[in-house]
Amino acid sequence: MVMPSMEVENSSQAEEIKLRANEAFKAHKYSQAIDLYTQAIELNSQNAVYWANRALAHTKLEEYGSAIQDASKAVEIDPKYSKGYYRRGAAYLAMGKFKEALKDFQQVKKICPNDPDATKKLKECEKAVMKLKFEEAISVPNSERHSVADSIDFRSIGTGPDSSSLTTLVTALAAAAVAMVVVMLVVGIAATTVATTVVAVVVVVIGACWWGGCTSGVFSRSHTVNLVHADVEPQYSGARIEGDVVTLDFVKRMMDDFRNQKCLHKRYAYQIVLQTREMLRALPSLVDINVPNNSHFTVCGDVHGQFYDLLNIFDLNGLPSEENPYLFNGDFVDRGSFSLEVILTLFAFKCMCPSAIYLARGNHESKSMNKIYGFEGEVRSKLSETFVELFAEVFCCLPLAHVINEKIFVVHGGLFSVDGVKLSDIRAIDRFCEPPEEGLMCELLWSDPQPYPGRGPSKRGVGLSFGVDVTKRFLQENNLDLVVRSHEVKDEGYEIEHDGKLITVFSAPNYCDQMGNKGAFIRFEAPDLKPNIVTFSAVPHPDVKPMAYANNFLRMFS
């Protein structure tokens, strides 16, 4: 039995450690803050504040599963502690679990009925849930969906109303639909009735345009957009693709335009994305890369829309070419507010020379993440709704993993919940879909290494954590030497783990303009393929904050 005097002493020490943890948190040293809050919890595990504060630090590191666990413990200790529900709701929100988040914010409102901040966040969460219900009500089964890529003829996009009328009409319809949804839901009409009404209105408007012979000719009986060949407007002064071939000169000009915050014409954006789609569709889910002797190969980690840091990588290491090839290991987009510039640049190099650049899917190359973390909003703002759907299609074509010279396994996330997974199993994955919530594909995109043996629950709430024994068995069973993965911010831009058998590489320095980390990339020289890790610091970028295009509700917590 613990004596009262010892309890008082422990509580006092715990408070002192909590204050140190708070200072570490303010300095954006979130891992250190977690360690200190853990020490405080070990001294006094019945203080809800410590658990809730550690939950917030986990959230900053995108460890949403751990954040939910800690926040749940806080409200278990003190059911009237509003911050516990608040922190758990924010973590659910970050995972796209709006219905679970709504329950927590309703509880916050119940505990703090006069708190204007709680009221505001509850209303925003209610809107998000309403929108989700509406989308579910009008969603089309996968078996009935048609490829948006098949409806686009980029060569016809140029002068006249053809190039913009579809976007204008879709935008108008979307705005009308959203307004109608809000009004009808506010007055309490059922979601199915709302969906039926909106669909009827959309059909009537489109039908009227079609039968009336809309002057733009957007809709045709063959369902193909923009059938008439058109030239790009003469007043357009940006980079141009001559014919069907993307050249190095074009890519350089495009990057310079992006550097100066100029836009690429939609015609060329369509061309780049559609040509990339065709190349990616032809690839297997696991791509083998051959690096000849006396040649090198560069692997980069997450870029997350930090375009100016991407340019810095090319300044440090050279532009992608057949003699200077790269693999970008997923999470090209989201969070950073220049994600469109990043993805168009990477895709353009792929079009210019397919062997100059390899691209792997990350967990952020998905509709659910793009909807929350900014890419969807950015694309809609800079291009159009059609591009939102097109990018979603193309992301489903990205390979899931690569093997360099039959020795180095490169994947965005990590390894698996079961032993015995062979490379042939990865090749056999049908990847042409949104990432599932479990299984091999999910684990490739979401899993993380852990410092102790075995397997454990994911700190993110998706995938799992795997130990050194799991890594070594996978390498041995597949005759491999090394795992290279990304997916986690690291202070130095990289971390070597699992007895040197696993390297994490992260290429977005000062992540989200607040983490203070370095970025890194790895150069491998054949034939020995010894990793040469290069680190670099963030460079200045225009005054557009990270998450500028993110979900409104999520920005309230950023």
Side-chain angles (χ1 to χ4, degrees):
M1 181 177 179
V2 179
M3 300 299 292
S5 60
M6 185 176 295
E7 289 181 354
V8 171
E9 183 179 347
N10 285 350
S11 296
S12 176
Q13 289 180 8
E15 277 297 300
E16 291 178 6
I17 293 172
K18 184 201 78 170
L19 294 176
R20 288 165 52 201
N22 291 349
E23 291 302 313
F25 184 93
K26 292 176 183 177
H28 300 157
K29 298 178 180 179
Y30 302 119
S31 294
Q32 181 182 344
I34 288 171
D35 291 340
L36 290 168
Y37 287 130
T38 300
Q39 293 176 34
I41 289 169
E42 289 171 350
L43 289 168
N44 182 6
S45 63
Q46 296 304 304
N47 189 315
V49 174
Y50 303 163
W51 292 95
N53 284 7
R54 193 172 74 173
L56 182 58
H58 279 302
T59 298
K60 290 294 185 179
L61 293 179
E62 302 177 18
E63 298 170 354
Y64 303 121
S66 297
I68 289 168
Q69 289 178 352
D70 280 358
S72 296
K73 183 66 176 179
V75 299
E76 176 188 322
I77 294 169
D78 184 356
K80 294 185 178 181
Y81 184 50
S82 62
K83 282 190 177 180
Y85 297 102
Y86 187 95
R87 301 274 160 80
R88 188 170 67 184
Y92 276 132
L93 174 71
M95 296 178 68
K97 296 185 176 182
F98 296 110
K99 295 177 183 178
E100 291 87 345
L102 178 60
K103 294 177 183 177
D104 279 329
F105 287 111
Q106 288 171 336
Q107 191 66 26
V108 173
K109 176 65 175 175
K110 184 178 179 180
I111 297 171
C112 308
N114 299 318
D115 185 341
D117 184 61
T119 301
K120 181 179 180 181
K121 288 181 169 60
L122 177 59
K123 287 182 178 179
E124 287 295 326
C125 196
E126 287 172 339
K127 288 180 184 178
V129 172
M130 285 180 183
K131 183 179 179 184
L132 181 64
K133 289 180 178 178
F134 171 69
E135 290 173 347
E136 290 174 350
I138 66 170
S139 63
V140 178
N142 288 333
S143 59
E144 299 177 17
R145 289 180 181 173
H146 299 285
S147 168
V148 67
D150 294 338
S151 70
I152 299 167
D153 176 14
F154 68 83
R155 294 177 183 83
S156 66
I157 299 173
T159 58
D162 284 41
S163 60
S164 59
S165 52
L166 176 61
T167 301
T168 303
L169 182 58
V170 169
T171 302
L173 288 172
V178 170
M180 187 179 299
V181 169
V182 171
V183 171
M184 296 179 77
L185 287 173
V186 166
V187 299
I189 298 175
T192 52
T193 304
V194 174
T196 303
T197 305
V198 172
V199 169
V201 171
V202 171
V203 169
V204 169
V205 173
I206 292 177
C209 287
W210 189 80
W211 287 108
C214 289
T215 57
S216 65
V218 169
F219 292 95
S220 73
R221 288 172 175 78
S222 64
H223 306 291
T224 301
V225 178
N226 298 315
L227 294 178
V228 180
H229 186 86
D231 293 326
V232 171
E233 299 88 343
Q235 62 267 32
Y236 171 71
S237 60
R240 293 173 178 257
I241 301 173
E242 301 298 332
D244 291 341
V245 179
V246 175
T247 65
L248 179 59
D249 286 341
F250 164 79
V251 179
K252 288 180 176 179
R253 173 70 187 278
M254 181 186 72
M255 288 194 298
D256 283 341
D257 287 346
F258 287 162
R259 190 195 305 267
N260 295 313
Q261 294 185 272
K262 296 180 180 178
C263 297
L264 181 68
H265 195 284
K266 289 181 182 178
R267 171 174 176 166
Y268 303 129
Y270 273 128
Q271 181 172 348
I272 289 168
V273 178
L274 290 169
Q275 288 184 0
T276 302
R277 173 179 176 266
E278 290 306 305
M279 283 185 279
L280 295 176
R281 287 176 68 191
L283 295 173
S285 293
L286 175 66
V287 175
D288 291 294
I289 299 171
N290 178 55
V291 182
N293 288 346
N294 302 316
S295 298
H296 64 268
F297 189 87
T298 301
V299 177
C300 295
D302 304 37
V303 177
H304 274 302
Q306 297 185 196
F307 176 69
Y308 295 84
D309 293 307
L310 175 66
L311 294 181
N312 188 39
I313 291 173
F314 293 152
D315 287 342
L316 294 170
N317 196 57
L319 294 175
S321 67
E322 200 160 5
E323 296 75 30
N324 189 38
Y326 284 80
L327 165 58
F328 282 85
N329 198 29
D331 280 14
F332 321 119
V333 301
D334 278 341
R335 295 196 177 269
S337 295
F338 302 95
S339 292
L340 181 62
E341 289 81 356
V342 167
I343 197 65
L344 286 177
T345 297
L346 298 179
F347 279 6
F349 276 116
K350 187 70 177 174
C351 293
M352 180 197 79
C353 179
S355 61
I357 195 166
Y358 297 82
L359 304 169
R361 192 173 193 174
N363 61 301
H364 275 268
E365 278 69 57
S366 66
K367 282 185 179 180
S368 59
M369 293 290 103
N370 298 161
K371 187 179 296 292
I372 299 171
Y373 290 99
F375 184 61
E376 181 178 301
E378 181 181 346
V379 171
R380 187 177 288 116
S381 175
K382 294 179 180 179
L383 288 173
S384 71
E385 182 70 33
T386 304
F387 273 98
V388 172
E389 293 301 315
L390 181 58
F391 276 114
E393 280 189 20
V394 178
F395 287 164
C396 290
C397 301
L398 287 162
L400 303 178
H402 294 75
V403 174
I404 302 173
N405 286 12
E406 301 182 341
K407 290 299 178 185
I408 301 174
F409 181 71
V410 189
V411 66
H412 179 73
L415 301 181
F416 311 102
S417 56
V418 296
D419 289 331
V421 176
K422 299 297 180 64
L423 297 182
S424 57
D425 297 321
I426 301 171
R427 288 191 183 94
I429 294 174
D430 181 4
R431 71 183 188 277
F432 297 98
C433 61
E434 288 300 311
E437 294 188 3
E438 59 183 8
L440 297 186
M441 181 172 172
C442 170
E443 290 161 1
L444 285 164
L445 300 180
W446 279 96
S447 294
D448 295 291
Q450 64 185 24
Y452 38 87
R455 295 180 172 90
S458 169
K459 57 192 175 185
R460 300 175 188 269
V462 187
L464 73 147
S465 297
F466 59 95
V468 59
D469 54 330
V470 176
T471 298
K472 288 182 176 180
R473 278 197 302 272
F474 174 77
L475 292 174
Q476 184 177 9
E477 290 171 356
N478 288 283
N479 195 29
L480 298 165
D481 293 339
L482 179 68
V483 173
V484 174
R485 45 89 63 178
S486 304
H487 195 38
E488 286 185 282
V489 60
K490 298 295 181 182
D491 288 344
E492 294 301 314
Y494 74 97
E495 186 172 354
I496 301 173
E497 304 173 77
H498 291 183
D499 297 337
K501 292 297 185 180
L502 183 145
I503 302 176
T504 297
V505 59
F506 192 85
S507 303
N510 195 25
Y511 182 45
C512 292
D513 283 0
Q514 63 174 301
M515 296 300 288
N517 61 290
K518 292 181 180 178
F521 54 83
I522 309 174
R523 278 176 62 107
F524 293 98
E525 304 282 343
D528 64 348
L529 297 180
K530 181 180 179 181
N532 177 26
I533 301 173
V534 179
T535 64
F536 57 96
S537 298
V539 297
H541 63 75
D543 188 22
V544 182
K545 303 299 182 186
M547 306 284 282
Y549 301 94
N551 182 285
N552 285 337
F553 191 29
L554 190 64
R555 286 208 304 271
M556 297 170 72
F557 296 89
S558 300

